[in-house]
Amino acid sequence: QISVETLGGIKYLDLTVEDGKVVLVKVDMGKPELKSDLIPIISENEKVIDEPIEVDGQVYHMTGVSMGNPHTVIYVDDVKNLDLEKIGPKFENHERFPKHPAFPEGVNTEFVHVIDENTVEMRVWERGSGETLACGTGACAVAVASILNNLTDTRVTVKLLGGDLQIEWDQKKNHVFMTGPAKVVF
């Protein structure tokens, strides 16, 4: 077990070691924030769960979660063929996601397809960066949103372009745990 100081606070990690090398890491990602004004998302509701939002003439349904940074989760039928380069910036800069001194870049948007009660696939448009292969806080936000929308169980495999993550929301402790492989990439 180790702790790592990050800009989002101290993270506590449980390491699985095989043959002297870390092969799996479980991270306590902390508490999800669901209050719309603290994410921030402009809404008349205290929490944004399955709330309609119109983007580029189409109505989507979003669920807002902050994991130390703002996320909106959008459920779609097909993430593989989604024109993310077109739709991503329109969510990132939408008027419902106000610029905030702590988050001047807008909102991260996760586009999600539910495969079954334990598995979802996701693509992410990260604020200020564009599409990325993976986003740990985004995967956590997706799991929390999927549970809130009664789409999955409390333990979810999130399939990202960069690989799979196991996410579990312990609702009694109100902490989200992320587990994924540790690999040397370069």
Side-chain angles (χ1 to χ4, degrees):
Q1 294 180 326
I2 63 171
S3 57
V4 178
E5 185 176 353
T6 73
L7 292 176
I10 297 173
K11 302 296 182 197
Y12 299 95
L13 289 68
D14 292 327
L15 309 176
T16 301
V17 179
E18 292 177 3
D19 298 324
K21 293 186 179 184
V22 177
V23 293
L24 200 65
V25 179
K26 180 178 180 180
V27 183
D28 181 345
M29 297 293 287
K31 297 178 180 183
E33 178 59 64
L34 303 175
K35 292 183 180 176
S36 58
D37 60 329
L38 297 178
I39 292 174
I41 297 175
I42 295 172
S43 175
E44 294 178 2
N45 300 308
E46 182 183 0
K47 297 178 183 177
V48 175
I49 300 172
D50 194 32
E51 190 170 305
I53 181 172
E54 186 175 331
V55 176
D56 203 24
Q58 183 172 344
V59 176
Y60 297 87
H61 284 83
M62 67 175 168
T63 297
V65 179
S66 175
M67 292 299 306
N69 54 357
H71 296 273
T72 185
V73 179
I74 308 295
Y75 293 94
V76 296
D77 293 330
D78 179 12
V79 294
K80 292 179 179 132
N81 295 307
L82 186 66
D83 189 354
L84 201 54
E85 292 291 325
K86 178 182 176 191
I87 194 70
K90 293 181 180 185
F91 274 92
E92 178 181 359
N93 298 302
H94 195 280
E95 62 191 16
R96 300 264 320 262
F97 309 109
K99 301 297 182 192
H100 184 277
F103 308 114
E105 302 94 353
V107 71
N108 299 297
T109 308
E110 286 76 32
F111 297 91
V112 181
H113 170 69
V114 177
I115 296 172
D116 60 41
E117 66 182 15
N118 300 108
T119 314
V120 300
E121 59 184 343
M122 153 190 147
R123 286 175 66 193
V124 59
W125 183 266
E126 287 204 53
R127 60 200 173 105
S129 299
E131 183 173 17
T132 59
L133 296 178
C135 178
T137 57
C140 292
V142 163
V144 169
S146 297
I147 294 162
L148 290 172
N149 284 288
N150 298 311
L151 298 171
T152 65
D153 198 1
T154 59
R155 187 178 177 100
V156 182
T157 297
V158 180
K159 297 182 153 309
L160 304 105
L161 295 176
D164 295 354
L165 292 170
Q166 306 297 320
I167 311 295
E168 183 175 3
W169 182 17
D170 182 335
Q171 291 174 297
K172 289 181 183 173
K173 293 180 182 177
N174 195 27
H175 275 243
V176 179
F177 296 89
M178 177 177 69
T179 304
K183 297 179 184 176
V184 175
V185 292
F186 63 89

